[in-house]
Amino acid sequence: AMMDKQRQMDADAQQKEFMMQKQQLMEMGNNIDPMEIKNAIMKMEMMLKQTTMMDMDPQAKKQMVREQKRMVRRLKRKQKRMARGKDTDRSRHSKRSRRRRRQRKHHDGPAVDCMVTPWSEWSECSVTCGKGTTTRNRMVKRKEENGGKRGPRKLSKTKFCKVD
């Protein structure tokens, strides 16, 4: 019982450290220099190694590792953008102006965004006994035109279902 408590405390401390690091990076936003990014990547990779070696609940460990890997990928992308000199404010405004430029450059007429139907109901389970899958879908009502907003990549979702 004492070992379990210690493991849980270690896991909590690791999670807290990660969250603090993440918060710190979020507050810096675009006011971050290449050295800070490099240091943050090294810290995150070290934290990731520690997490993978920790003896803790497998599900919580998997989630923590996933979040840490995602953060490392994000930082590395930001580092690449900065190296190319392309790290700009990535707000909605800049997306909108890029779309307008794209529209003026290649298209005639107004930009038309993609439209999709709402998700269908979940289908029946694929099996009558045991574990199977269930699916729901949506369809493209209208494709994007003239540089409009693209539609979603996923038009179907599948999940496991269990029938007793």
Side-chain angles (χ1 to χ4, degrees):
M2 196 64 168
M3 283 300 272
D4 288 342
K5 193 165 185 84
Q6 184 61 44
R7 278 194 295 231
Q8 186 59 46
M9 285 171 59
D10 290 346
D12 290 346
Q14 184 77 351
Q15 181 68 16
K16 187 175 180 182
E17 174 69 25
F18 170 69
M19 296 306 278
M20 285 170 55
Q21 183 74 22
K22 189 175 175 180
Q23 181 68 35
Q24 196 176 13
L25 291 166
M26 297 291 275
E27 285 170 4
M28 286 181 183
N30 289 330
N31 307 327
I32 188 169
D33 66 62
M35 258 337 264
E36 286 173 320
I37 286 190
K38 191 174 183 178
N39 289 337
I41 289 171
M42 286 184 349
K43 265 187 190 175
M44 280 293 168
E45 286 176 334
M46 199 169 74
M47 203 180 288
L48 184 58
K49 282 180 187 167
Q50 289 173 347
T51 304
T52 53
M53 292 188 298
M54 285 178 80
D55 184 20
M56 59 187 280
D57 173 54
Q59 203 62 26
K61 184 177 185 175
K62 186 177 177 181
Q63 178 68 28
M64 201 183 298
V65 165
R66 189 182 304 136
E67 283 182 35
Q68 290 173 352
K69 281 182 177 178
R70 188 179 298 138
M71 190 60 151
V72 168
R73 281 194 307 270
R74 259 196 199 142
L75 287 167
K76 285 184 176 178
R77 278 196 306 266
K78 189 169 188 72
Q79 188 179 39
K80 275 185 185 175
R81 283 195 312 269
M82 286 182 89
R84 289 191 309 243
K86 290 185 178 178
D87 194 50
T88 56
D89 178 26
R90 298 171 65 89
S91 64
R92 284 180 66 76
H93 173 73
S94 58
K95 281 184 183 176
R96 195 177 301 127
S97 58
R98 278 197 303 269
R99 188 189 319 161
R100 282 198 195 113
R101 279 196 302 273
R102 201 169 55 229
Q103 180 181 339
R104 279 196 301 270
K105 216 183 270 186
H106 304 293
H107 308 290
D108 302 327
V112 177
D113 294 343
C114 175
M115 288 176 64
V116 293
T117 61
W119 287 106
S120 66
E121 294 297 317
W122 288 102
S123 67
E124 292 290 318
C125 195
S126 60
V127 296
T128 54
C129 184
K131 282 187 177 177
T133 57
T134 178
T135 308
R136 67 179 182 172
N137 302 299
R138 59 183 171 180
M139 296 183 301
V140 174
K141 278 188 194 175
R142 183 175 194 159
K143 289 192 97 158
E144 78 273 356
E145 295 172 23
N146 301 326
K149 202 190 276 184
R150 288 194 189 113
R153 288 188 206 142
K154 281 190 149 194
L155 295 174
S156 104
K157 285 185 179 180
T158 303
K159 68 178 183 179
F160 293 106
C161 54
K162 189 175 180 183
V163 181
D164 295 325

